[in-house]
Amino acid sequence: MSGLLLRLAGPLQSWGERSAFTPVRETATFPTRSALIGMFAAAEGLPRSDTAGLKKYEQVRLTVRVDRPGTLLEDYHTVGGGFPKERTAATSGGSHKDAAVITRRQYLTDAVFVVAVTAPDALTAQLAAALRRPYWAPYLGRRSCPPDEPFLLRRHVDDPENELLTGVPLSSPEPREKSGETMAVQFLRERPLPEGGPGAAADVVEVNDMPVSFAPHGRAHAGRRLYRTMEPVSRSLAGPHKSLLTRLIDYAHAEEPA
């Protein structure tokens, strides 16, 4: 097993928790497994209808470090309106709506997440190659939310989860209270930490974002558990905001070719 590291940052992110269309399109407070697996499948050029092709991603374990949780933004959004019926929003029955469709869409602004993607070595290599030269471009939950650079921080790491604790620069400023060698950072893990270890106490979060099918008219998801922890991260990973981009680029470029 090995893995890779992704940094999910940008002006806007939106991680939908429901596949059904609702008047308010909510966002989760963290990247969902469905969105990340969808990103991998899109990068590899997997059609939405290829449900069997999703099986290999069941081997992937995702660990999210929350560098900045971001701020919730709700946008007033309309589709269609002011046009003849044949030019308004389409319906699932093959017709068109007569008037504008009004929704409110939620986004996270100024959020930053670093994701450790752990998988068998061969799958890690496939994902890294696809994310470096994607078939379809990655986005942060919605197509209108492109990621900042650097996006693919490392293509191959022996222990990506440990790298979140000791290696990847933090996209949050160092606290003013400079006591101790570590600082507490929020993590979301797919399996619990060993009892008695640092950050082992966890809140258990039930989510419904395990992708079963991405088919346009047959999307389906299953439930999973997440373990939300506050864990000690080396204070040396934080620093002045003005040097953050330089530190991230240096970290990404320091990787030896796999």
Side-chain angles (χ1 to χ4, degrees):
M1 298 287 281
S2 58
L4 53 86
L5 294 163
L6 298 175
R7 181 174 180 268
L8 308 181
L12 295 174
Q13 305 185 30
S14 189
W15 309 104
E17 293 185 275
R18 299 180 178 87
S19 57
F21 192 88
T22 58
V24 179
R25 301 285 281 176
E26 298 175 336
T27 178
T29 57
F30 52 83
T32 60
R33 183 177 178 91
S34 177
L36 293 173
I37 297 302
M39 180 188 294
F40 303 155
E44 293 195 274
L46 191 73
R48 285 183 178 271
S49 57
D50 188 356
T51 300
L54 295 178
K55 288 290 185 181
K56 69 177 182 181
Y57 301 117
E58 293 177 2
Q59 306 171 79
V60 173
R61 185 171 72 247
L62 302 171
T63 302
V64 177
R65 189 183 78 184
V66 183
D67 284 21
R68 291 204 301 265
T71 303
L72 186 66
L73 170 71
E74 190 169 285
D75 178 48
Y76 177 82
H77 189 90
T78 63
V79 178
F83 294 102
K85 183 175 180 178
E86 63 271 12
R87 295 180 60 191
T88 61
T91 68
S92 59
S95 182
H96 291 264
K97 296 183 181 294
D98 291 319
V101 178
I102 298 174
T103 63
R104 297 183 182 275
R105 302 193 178 186
Q106 293 183 348
Y107 299 87
L108 299 177
T109 65
D110 198 35
V112 181
F113 306 96
V114 181
V115 183
V117 182
T118 305
D121 293 348
L123 183 53
T124 293
Q126 291 174 21
L127 293 177
L131 290 167
R132 194 177 183 199
R133 294 183 175 85
Y135 188 93
W136 284 299
Y139 48 85
L140 306 179
R142 292 200 181 119
R143 291 187 181 90
S144 59
C145 304
D148 280 351
E149 292 288 350
F151 166 65
L152 180 57
L153 287 175
R154 290 280 173 92
R155 290 175 289 158
H156 184 275
V157 183
D158 290 335
D159 188 348
E161 293 183 11
N162 184 64
E163 199 70 12
L164 294 182
L165 296 167
T166 61
V168 183
L170 274 164
S171 298
S172 54
E174 185 179 8
R176 294 181 180 179
E177 300 79 11
K178 298 185 178 182
S179 58
E181 298 180 354
T182 62
M183 52 189 288
V185 176
Q186 184 182 153
F187 282 74
L188 291 151
R189 296 180 176 273
E190 292 190 316
R191 63 181 186 181
L193 291 171
E195 291 186 12
D203 293 328
V204 179
V205 183
E206 301 281 351
V207 292
N208 190 59
D209 66 352
M210 178 76 75
V212 176
S213 171
F214 287 129
H217 298 293
R219 294 185 184 182
H221 299 82
R224 65 173 178 140
R225 282 186 172 182
L226 282 176
Y227 300 88
R228 180 160 39 205
T229 61
M230 295 299 295
E231 301 180 35
V233 173
S234 174
R235 189 180 293 274
S236 64
L237 301 183
H241 184 72
K242 62 182 179 182
S243 68
L244 174 61
L245 183 58
T246 299
R247 290 185 286 119
L248 286 167
I249 291 173
D250 288 346
Y251 176 82
H253 285 180
E255 180 180 31
E256 294 294 331

PDB file of all heavy atoms in Angstrom, residues 21-55:
ATOM      1  N   PHE A  21     -32.431  16.661  -6.820  1.00  0.00           N
ATOM      2  CA  PHE A  21     -32.487  18.110  -6.991  1.00  0.00           C
ATOM      3  C   PHE A  21     -33.457  18.698  -5.978  1.00  0.00           C
ATOM      4  O   PHE A  21     -34.615  18.305  -5.909  1.00  0.00           O
ATOM      5  CB  PHE A  21     -32.932  18.449  -8.413  1.00  0.00           C
ATOM      6  CG  PHE A  21     -32.757  19.894  -8.767  1.00  0.00           C
ATOM      7  CD1 PHE A  21     -31.567  20.356  -9.295  1.00  0.00           C
ATOM      8  CD2 PHE A  21     -33.778  20.797  -8.538  1.00  0.00           C
ATOM      9  CE1 PHE A  21     -31.405  21.691  -9.611  1.00  0.00           C
ATOM     10  CE2 PHE A  21     -33.623  22.135  -8.849  1.00  0.00           C
ATOM     11  CZ  PHE A  21     -32.435  22.586  -9.397  1.00  0.00           C
ATOM     12  N   THR A  22     -33.000  19.632  -5.183  1.00  0.00           N
ATOM     13  CA  THR A  22     -33.825  20.259  -4.159  1.00  0.00           C
ATOM     14  C   THR A  22     -33.716  21.779  -4.302  1.00  0.00           C
ATOM     15  O   THR A  22     -32.764  22.294  -4.882  1.00  0.00           O
ATOM     16  CB  THR A  22     -33.366  19.851  -2.749  1.00  0.00           C
ATOM     17  OG1 THR A  22     -31.986  20.213  -2.581  1.00  0.00           O
ATOM     18  CG2 THR A  22     -33.517  18.352  -2.548  1.00  0.00           C
ATOM     19  N   PRO A  23     -34.687  22.537  -3.756  1.00  0.00           N
ATOM     20  CA  PRO A  23     -34.636  24.003  -3.870  1.00  0.00           C
ATOM     21  C   PRO A  23     -33.370  24.607  -3.262  1.00  0.00           C
ATOM     22  O   PRO A  23     -32.886  25.643  -3.711  1.00  0.00           O
ATOM     23  CB  PRO A  23     -35.893  24.458  -3.125  1.00  0.00           C
ATOM     24  CG  PRO A  23     -36.829  23.296  -3.227  1.00  0.00           C
ATOM     25  CD  PRO A  23     -35.958  22.086  -3.159  1.00  0.00           C
ATOM     26  N   VAL A  24     -32.848  23.986  -2.208  1.00  0.00           N
ATOM     27  CA  VAL A  24     -31.593  24.442  -1.615  1.00  0.00           C
ATOM     28  C   VAL A  24     -30.558  23.346  -1.823  1.00  0.00           C
ATOM     29  O   VAL A  24     -30.689  22.240  -1.291  1.00  0.00           O
ATOM     30  CB  VAL A  24     -31.742  24.752  -0.110  1.00  0.00           C
ATOM     31  CG1 VAL A  24     -30.402  25.187   0.465  1.00  0.00           C
ATOM     32  CG2 VAL A  24     -32.792  25.830   0.107  1.00  0.00           C
ATOM     33  N   ARG A  25     -29.534  23.634  -2.614  1.00  0.00           N
ATOM     34  CA  ARG A  25     -28.475  22.669  -2.902  1.00  0.00           C
ATOM     35  C   ARG A  25     -27.391  22.858  -1.856  1.00  0.00           C
ATOM     36  O   ARG A  25     -26.538  23.743  -1.967  1.00  0.00           O
ATOM     37  CB  ARG A  25     -27.922  22.895  -4.310  1.00  0.00           C
ATOM     38  CG  ARG A  25     -28.971  22.761  -5.396  1.00  0.00           C
ATOM     39  CD  ARG A  25     -29.347  21.323  -5.657  1.00  0.00           C
ATOM     40  NE  ARG A  25     -28.352  20.657  -6.486  1.00  0.00           N
ATOM     41  CZ  ARG A  25     -28.381  19.382  -6.801  1.00  0.00           C
ATOM     42  NH1 ARG A  25     -29.340  18.619  -6.329  1.00  0.00           N
ATOM     43  NH2 ARG A  25     -27.452  18.857  -7.563  1.00  0.00           N
ATOM     44  N   GLU A  26     -27.426  22.037  -0.806  1.00  0.00           N
ATOM     45  CA  GLU A  26     -26.532  22.211   0.324  1.00  0.00           C
ATOM     46  C   GLU A  26     -25.136  21.699   0.006  1.00  0.00           C
ATOM     47  O   GLU A  26     -24.920  20.926  -0.928  1.00  0.00           O
ATOM     48  CB  GLU A  26     -27.091  21.477   1.538  1.00  0.00           C
ATOM     49  CG  GLU A  26     -28.445  22.015   2.000  1.00  0.00           C
ATOM     50  CD  GLU A  26     -29.031  21.188   3.121  1.00  0.00           C
ATOM     51  OE1 GLU A  26     -28.655  20.001   3.239  1.00  0.00           O
ATOM     52  OE2 GLU A  26     -29.868  21.716   3.861  1.00  0.00           O
ATOM     53  N   THR A  27     -24.173  22.113   0.825  1.00  0.00           N
ATOM     54  CA  THR A  27     -22.826  21.580   0.745  1.00  0.00           C
ATOM     55  C   THR A  27     -22.453  20.945   2.076  1.00  0.00           C
ATOM     56  O   THR A  27     -22.853  21.430   3.142  1.00  0.00           O
ATOM     57  CB  THR A  27     -21.795  22.669   0.403  1.00  0.00           C
ATOM     58  OG1 THR A  27     -20.479  22.090   0.374  1.00  0.00           O
ATOM     59  CG2 THR A  27     -21.795  23.809   1.420  1.00  0.00           C
ATOM     60  N   ALA A  28     -21.708  19.851   2.003  1.00  0.00           N
ATOM     61  CA  ALA A  28     -21.121  19.287   3.216  1.00  0.00           C
ATOM     62  C   ALA A  28     -19.987  20.205   3.667  1.00  0.00           C
ATOM     63  O   ALA A  28     -19.504  21.059   2.909  1.00  0.00           O
ATOM     64  CB  ALA A  28     -20.591  17.880   2.941  1.00  0.00           C
ATOM     65  N   THR A  29     -19.533  20.009   4.880  1.00  0.00           N
ATOM     66  CA  THR A  29     -18.460  20.847   5.418  1.00  0.00           C
ATOM     67  C   THR A  29     -17.076  20.285   5.099  1.00  0.00           C
ATOM     68  O   THR A  29     -16.068  20.826   5.551  1.00  0.00           O
ATOM     69  CB  THR A  29     -18.606  20.999   6.944  1.00  0.00           C
ATOM     70  OG1 THR A  29     -18.598  19.691   7.538  1.00  0.00           O
ATOM     71  CG2 THR A  29     -19.898  21.714   7.287  1.00  0.00           C
ATOM     72  N   PHE A  30     -17.033  19.210   4.306  1.00  0.00           N
ATOM     73  CA  PHE A  30     -15.774  18.570   3.946  1.00  0.00           C
ATOM     74  C   PHE A  30     -15.974  17.844   2.618  1.00  0.00           C
ATOM     75  O   PHE A  30     -17.117  17.573   2.211  1.00  0.00           O
ATOM     76  CB  PHE A  30     -15.343  17.569   5.041  1.00  0.00           C
ATOM     77  CG  PHE A  30     -16.416  16.589   5.411  1.00  0.00           C
ATOM     78  CD1 PHE A  30     -16.638  15.433   4.664  1.00  0.00           C
ATOM     79  CD2 PHE A  30     -17.249  16.830   6.500  1.00  0.00           C
ATOM     80  CE1 PHE A  30     -17.638  14.547   4.993  1.00  0.00           C
ATOM     81  CE2 PHE A  30     -18.257  15.941   6.845  1.00  0.00           C
ATOM     82  CZ  PHE A  30     -18.455  14.794   6.075  1.00  0.00           C
ATOM     83  N   PRO A  31     -14.903  17.495   1.918  1.00  0.00           N
ATOM     84  CA  PRO A  31     -15.048  16.764   0.656  1.00  0.00           C
ATOM     85  C   PRO A  31     -15.668  15.389   0.881  1.00  0.00           C
ATOM     86  O   PRO A  31     -15.229  14.639   1.751  1.00  0.00           O
ATOM     87  CB  PRO A  31     -13.604  16.633   0.147  1.00  0.00           C
ATOM     88  CG  PRO A  31     -12.841  17.692   0.870  1.00  0.00           C
ATOM     89  CD  PRO A  31     -13.492  17.840   2.201  1.00  0.00           C
ATOM     90  N   THR A  32     -16.682  15.057   0.125  1.00  0.00           N
ATOM     91  CA  THR A  32     -17.352  13.769   0.269  1.00  0.00           C
ATOM     92  C   THR A  32     -16.595  12.687  -0.504  1.00  0.00           C
ATOM     93  O   THR A  32     -15.885  12.959  -1.466  1.00  0.00           O
ATOM     94  CB  THR A  32     -18.789  13.844  -0.261  1.00  0.00           C
ATOM     95  OG1 THR A  32     -18.759  14.205  -1.651  1.00  0.00           O
ATOM     96  CG2 THR A  32     -19.603  14.865   0.514  1.00  0.00           C
ATOM     97  N   ARG A  33     -16.780  11.457  -0.072  1.00  0.00           N
ATOM     98  CA  ARG A  33     -16.156  10.341  -0.792  1.00  0.00           C
ATOM     99  C   ARG A  33     -16.712  10.248  -2.211  1.00  0.00           C
ATOM    100  O   ARG A  33     -15.982   9.978  -3.165  1.00  0.00           O
ATOM    101  CB  ARG A  33     -16.380   9.028  -0.036  1.00  0.00           C
ATOM    102  CG  ARG A  33     -15.689   7.838  -0.703  1.00  0.00           C
ATOM    103  CD  ARG A  33     -15.826   6.541   0.050  1.00  0.00           C
ATOM    104  NE  ARG A  33     -15.183   5.462  -0.692  1.00  0.00           N
ATOM    105  CZ  ARG A  33     -13.918   5.089  -0.550  1.00  0.00           C
ATOM    106  NH1 ARG A  33     -13.148   5.706   0.339  1.00  0.00           N
ATOM    107  NH2 ARG A  33     -13.417   4.100  -1.278  1.00  0.00           N
ATOM    108  N   SER A  34     -18.008  10.465  -2.363  1.00  0.00           N
ATOM    109  CA  SER A  34     -18.620  10.409  -3.685  1.00  0.00           C
ATOM    110  C   SER A  34     -17.950  11.393  -4.644  1.00  0.00           C
ATOM    111  O   SER A  34     -17.646  11.050  -5.790  1.00  0.00           O
ATOM    112  CB  SER A  34     -20.116  10.719  -3.576  1.00  0.00           C
ATOM    113  OG  SER A  34     -20.720  10.736  -4.843  1.00  0.00           O
ATOM    114  N   ALA A  35     -17.720  12.620  -4.181  1.00  0.00           N
ATOM    115  CA  ALA A  35     -17.101  13.631  -5.042  1.00  0.00           C
ATOM    116  C   ALA A  35     -15.664  13.267  -5.389  1.00  0.00           C
ATOM    117  O   ALA A  35     -15.226  13.445  -6.535  1.00  0.00           O
ATOM    118  CB  ALA A  35     -17.153  14.994  -4.356  1.00  0.00           C
ATOM    119  N   LEU A  36     -14.910  12.748  -4.419  1.00  0.00           N
ATOM    120  CA  LEU A  36     -13.507  12.411  -4.675  1.00  0.00           C
ATOM    121  C   LEU A  36     -13.378  11.196  -5.587  1.00  0.00           C
ATOM    122  O   LEU A  36     -12.555  11.193  -6.514  1.00  0.00           O
ATOM    123  CB  LEU A  36     -12.784  12.180  -3.352  1.00  0.00           C
ATOM    124  CG  LEU A  36     -12.629  13.431  -2.486  1.00  0.00           C
ATOM    125  CD1 LEU A  36     -12.060  13.080  -1.124  1.00  0.00           C
ATOM    126  CD2 LEU A  36     -11.739  14.471  -3.167  1.00  0.00           C
ATOM    127  N   ILE A  37     -14.206  10.174  -5.371  1.00  0.00           N
ATOM    128  CA  ILE A  37     -14.176   9.020  -6.264  1.00  0.00           C
ATOM    129  C   ILE A  37     -14.627   9.446  -7.659  1.00  0.00           C
ATOM    130  O   ILE A  37     -14.073   9.000  -8.677  1.00  0.00           O
ATOM    131  CB  ILE A  37     -15.057   7.885  -5.728  1.00  0.00           C
ATOM    132  CG1 ILE A  37     -14.523   7.373  -4.388  1.00  0.00           C
ATOM    133  CG2 ILE A  37     -15.153   6.753  -6.741  1.00  0.00           C
ATOM    134  CD1 ILE A  37     -13.092   6.865  -4.433  1.00  0.00           C
ATOM    135  N   GLY A  38     -15.618  10.323  -7.727  1.00  0.00           N
ATOM    136  CA  GLY A  38     -16.042  10.851  -9.016  1.00  0.00           C
ATOM    137  C   GLY A  38     -14.927  11.602  -9.718  1.00  0.00           C
ATOM    138  O   GLY A  38     -14.771  11.524 -10.948  1.00  0.00           O
ATOM    139  N   MET A  39     -14.124  12.334  -8.947  1.00  0.00           N
ATOM    140  CA  MET A  39     -12.977  13.044  -9.509  1.00  0.00           C
ATOM    141  C   MET A  39     -11.965  12.071 -10.105  1.00  0.00           C
ATOM    142  O   MET A  39     -11.434  12.276 -11.205  1.00  0.00           O
ATOM    143  CB  MET A  39     -12.318  13.891  -8.412  1.00  0.00           C
ATOM    144  CG  MET A  39     -11.108  14.694  -8.853  1.00  0.00           C
ATOM    145  SD  MET A  39     -10.261  15.464  -7.447  1.00  0.00           S
ATOM    146  CE  MET A  39     -11.514  16.639  -6.904  1.00  0.00           C
ATOM    147  N   PHE A  40     -11.696  10.979  -9.369  1.00  0.00           N
ATOM    148  CA  PHE A  40     -10.744   9.978  -9.870  1.00  0.00           C
ATOM    149  C   PHE A  40     -11.279   9.317 -11.148  1.00  0.00           C
ATOM    150  O   PHE A  40     -10.540   9.134 -12.123  1.00  0.00           O
ATOM    151  CB  PHE A  40     -10.491   8.903  -8.813  1.00  0.00           C
ATOM    152  CG  PHE A  40      -9.977   9.424  -7.503  1.00  0.00           C
ATOM    153  CD1 PHE A  40     -10.188   8.712  -6.328  1.00  0.00           C
ATOM    154  CD2 PHE A  40      -9.291  10.625  -7.431  1.00  0.00           C
ATOM    155  CE1 PHE A  40      -9.716   9.181  -5.110  1.00  0.00           C
ATOM    156  CE2 PHE A  40      -8.813  11.109  -6.212  1.00  0.00           C
ATOM    157  CZ  PHE A  40      -9.032  10.387  -5.056  1.00  0.00           C
ATOM    158  N   ALA A  41     -12.567   8.947 -11.117  1.00  0.00           N
ATOM    159  CA  ALA A  41     -13.159   8.288 -12.283  1.00  0.00           C
ATOM    160  C   ALA A  41     -13.154   9.209 -13.499  1.00  0.00           C
ATOM    161  O   ALA A  41     -12.862   8.773 -14.624  1.00  0.00           O
ATOM    162  CB  ALA A  41     -14.590   7.844 -11.953  1.00  0.00           C
ATOM    163  N   ALA A  42     -13.456  10.486 -13.287  1.00  0.00           N
ATOM    164  CA  ALA A  42     -13.443  11.442 -14.396  1.00  0.00           C
ATOM    165  C   ALA A  42     -12.032  11.627 -14.946  1.00  0.00           C
ATOM    166  O   ALA A  42     -11.825  11.706 -16.161  1.00  0.00           O
ATOM    167  CB  ALA A  42     -14.017  12.779 -13.926  1.00  0.00           C
ATOM    168  N   ALA A  43     -11.047  11.692 -14.056  1.00  0.00           N
ATOM    169  CA  ALA A  43      -9.661  11.850 -14.504  1.00  0.00           C
ATOM    170  C   ALA A  43      -9.213  10.668 -15.346  1.00  0.00           C
ATOM    171  O   ALA A  43      -8.422  10.814 -16.295  1.00  0.00           O
ATOM    172  CB  ALA A  43      -8.746  12.012 -13.293  1.00  0.00           C
ATOM    173  N   GLU A  44      -9.737   9.470 -15.030  1.00  0.00           N
ATOM    174  CA  GLU A  44      -9.388   8.281 -15.792  1.00  0.00           C
ATOM    175  C   GLU A  44     -10.280   8.079 -17.022  1.00  0.00           C
ATOM    176  O   GLU A  44     -10.079   7.130 -17.786  1.00  0.00           O
ATOM    177  CB  GLU A  44      -9.469   7.041 -14.901  1.00  0.00           C
ATOM    178  CG  GLU A  44      -8.418   7.012 -13.799  1.00  0.00           C
ATOM    179  CD  GLU A  44      -8.281   5.644 -13.177  1.00  0.00           C
ATOM    180  OE1 GLU A  44      -9.047   5.347 -12.241  1.00  0.00           O
ATOM    181  OE2 GLU A  44      -7.411   4.883 -13.637  1.00  0.00           O
ATOM    182  N   GLY A  45     -11.274   8.953 -17.207  1.00  0.00           N
ATOM    183  CA  GLY A  45     -12.146   8.846 -18.367  1.00  0.00           C
ATOM    184  C   GLY A  45     -13.208   7.783 -18.252  1.00  0.00           C
ATOM    185  O   GLY A  45     -13.736   7.301 -19.255  1.00  0.00           O
ATOM    186  N   LEU A  46     -13.584   7.417 -17.015  1.00  0.00           N
ATOM    187  CA  LEU A  46     -14.595   6.380 -16.808  1.00  0.00           C
ATOM    188  C   LEU A  46     -15.981   6.969 -17.057  1.00  0.00           C
ATOM    189  O   LEU A  46     -16.341   7.969 -16.440  1.00  0.00           O
ATOM    190  CB  LEU A  46     -14.497   5.851 -15.377  1.00  0.00           C
ATOM    191  CG  LEU A  46     -15.283   4.587 -15.043  1.00  0.00           C
ATOM    192  CD1 LEU A  46     -14.615   3.380 -15.689  1.00  0.00           C
ATOM    193  CD2 LEU A  46     -15.356   4.400 -13.524  1.00  0.00           C
ATOM    194  N   PRO A  47     -16.798   6.380 -17.938  1.00  0.00           N
ATOM    195  CA  PRO A  47     -18.154   6.900 -18.177  1.00  0.00           C
ATOM    196  C   PRO A  47     -19.010   6.787 -16.913  1.00  0.00           C
ATOM    197  O   PRO A  47     -18.837   5.864 -16.110  1.00  0.00           O
ATOM    198  CB  PRO A  47     -18.695   5.994 -19.291  1.00  0.00           C
ATOM    199  CG  PRO A  47     -17.494   5.366 -19.913  1.00  0.00           C
ATOM    200  CD  PRO A  47     -16.477   5.240 -18.812  1.00  0.00           C
ATOM    201  N   ARG A  48     -19.968   7.700 -16.756  1.00  0.00           N
ATOM    202  CA  ARG A  48     -20.859   7.659 -15.598  1.00  0.00           C
ATOM    203  C   ARG A  48     -21.655   6.355 -15.535  1.00  0.00           C
ATOM    204  O   ARG A  48     -22.016   5.895 -14.462  1.00  0.00           O
ATOM    205  CB  ARG A  48     -21.835   8.849 -15.649  1.00  0.00           C
ATOM    206  CG  ARG A  48     -21.214  10.183 -15.270  1.00  0.00           C
ATOM    207  CD  ARG A  48     -22.264  11.272 -15.287  1.00  0.00           C
ATOM    208  NE  ARG A  48     -21.736  12.560 -14.885  1.00  0.00           N
ATOM    209  CZ  ARG A  48     -21.691  13.003 -13.637  1.00  0.00           C
ATOM    210  NH1 ARG A  48     -22.148  12.236 -12.673  1.00  0.00           N
ATOM    211  NH2 ARG A  48     -21.200  14.193 -13.357  1.00  0.00           N
ATOM    212  N   SER A  49     -21.929   5.781 -16.695  1.00  0.00           N
ATOM    213  CA  SER A  49     -22.743   4.566 -16.737  1.00  0.00           C
ATOM    214  C   SER A  49     -21.976   3.308 -16.355  1.00  0.00           C
ATOM    215  O   SER A  49     -22.565   2.245 -16.165  1.00  0.00           O
ATOM    216  CB  SER A  49     -23.325   4.385 -18.144  1.00  0.00           C
ATOM    217  OG  SER A  49     -22.278   4.338 -19.119  1.00  0.00           O
ATOM    218  N   ASP A  50     -20.651   3.404 -16.225  1.00  0.00           N
ATOM    219  CA  ASP A  50     -19.826   2.225 -15.936  1.00  0.00           C
ATOM    220  C   ASP A  50     -19.799   1.966 -14.433  1.00  0.00           C
ATOM    221  O   ASP A  50     -18.823   2.264 -13.744  1.00  0.00           O
ATOM    222  CB  ASP A  50     -18.414   2.434 -16.472  1.00  0.00           C
ATOM    223  CG  ASP A  50     -17.557   1.168 -16.383  1.00  0.00           C
ATOM    224  OD1 ASP A  50     -18.048   0.169 -15.833  1.00  0.00           O
ATOM    225  OD2 ASP A  50     -16.405   1.192 -16.845  1.00  0.00           O
ATOM    226  N   THR A  51     -20.875   1.394 -13.933  1.00  0.00           N
ATOM    227  CA  THR A  51     -20.974   1.111 -12.497  1.00  0.00           C
ATOM    228  C   THR A  51     -19.953   0.071 -12.058  1.00  0.00           C
ATOM    229  O   THR A  51     -19.365   0.173 -10.967  1.00  0.00           O
ATOM    230  CB  THR A  51     -22.393   0.634 -12.158  1.00  0.00           C
ATOM    231  OG1 THR A  51     -23.324   1.669 -12.525  1.00  0.00           O
ATOM    232  CG2 THR A  51     -22.527   0.349 -10.675  1.00  0.00           C
ATOM    233  N   ALA A  52     -19.704  -0.929 -12.905  1.00  0.00           N
ATOM    234  CA  ALA A  52     -18.744  -1.974 -12.552  1.00  0.00           C
ATOM    235  C   ALA A  52     -17.340  -1.403 -12.378  1.00  0.00           C
ATOM    236  O   ALA A  52     -16.556  -1.897 -11.553  1.00  0.00           O
ATOM    237  CB  ALA A  52     -18.741  -3.067 -13.622  1.00  0.00           C
ATOM    238  N   GLY A  53     -17.030  -0.352 -13.122  1.00  0.00           N
ATOM    239  CA  GLY A  53     -15.702   0.244 -13.033  1.00  0.00           C
ATOM    240  C   GLY A  53     -15.415   0.918 -11.712  1.00  0.00           C
ATOM    241  O   GLY A  53     -14.256   1.176 -11.366  1.00  0.00           O
ATOM    242  N   LEU A  54     -16.470   1.206 -10.927  1.00  0.00           N
ATOM    243  CA  LEU A  54     -16.285   1.856  -9.625  1.00  0.00           C
ATOM    244  C   LEU A  54     -15.753   0.890  -8.571  1.00  0.00           C
ATOM    245  O   LEU A  54     -15.268   1.324  -7.526  1.00  0.00           O
ATOM    246  CB  LEU A  54     -17.613   2.451  -9.131  1.00  0.00           C
ATOM    247  CG  LEU A  54     -18.213   3.606  -9.947  1.00  0.00           C
ATOM    248  CD1 LEU A  54     -19.540   4.025  -9.344  1.00  0.00           C
ATOM    249  CD2 LEU A  54     -17.243   4.784  -9.988  1.00  0.00           C
ATOM    250  N   LYS A  55     -15.851  -0.406  -8.835  1.00  0.00           N
ATOM    251  CA  LYS A  55     -15.470  -1.406  -7.841  1.00  0.00           C
ATOM    252  C   LYS A  55     -14.026  -1.231  -7.367  1.00  0.00           C
ATOM    253  O   LYS A  55     -13.714  -1.417  -6.187  1.00  0.00           O
ATOM    254  CB  LYS A  55     -15.663  -2.816  -8.407  1.00  0.00           C
ATOM    255  CG  LYS A  55     -17.119  -3.241  -8.551  1.00  0.00           C
ATOM    256  CD  LYS A  55     -17.759  -3.467  -7.186  1.00  0.00           C
ATOM    257  CE  LYS A  55     -19.174  -4.005  -7.334  1.00  0.00           C
ATOM    258  NZ  LYS A  55     -19.822  -4.203  -6.009  1.00  0.00           N
TER     259      LYS A  55
END
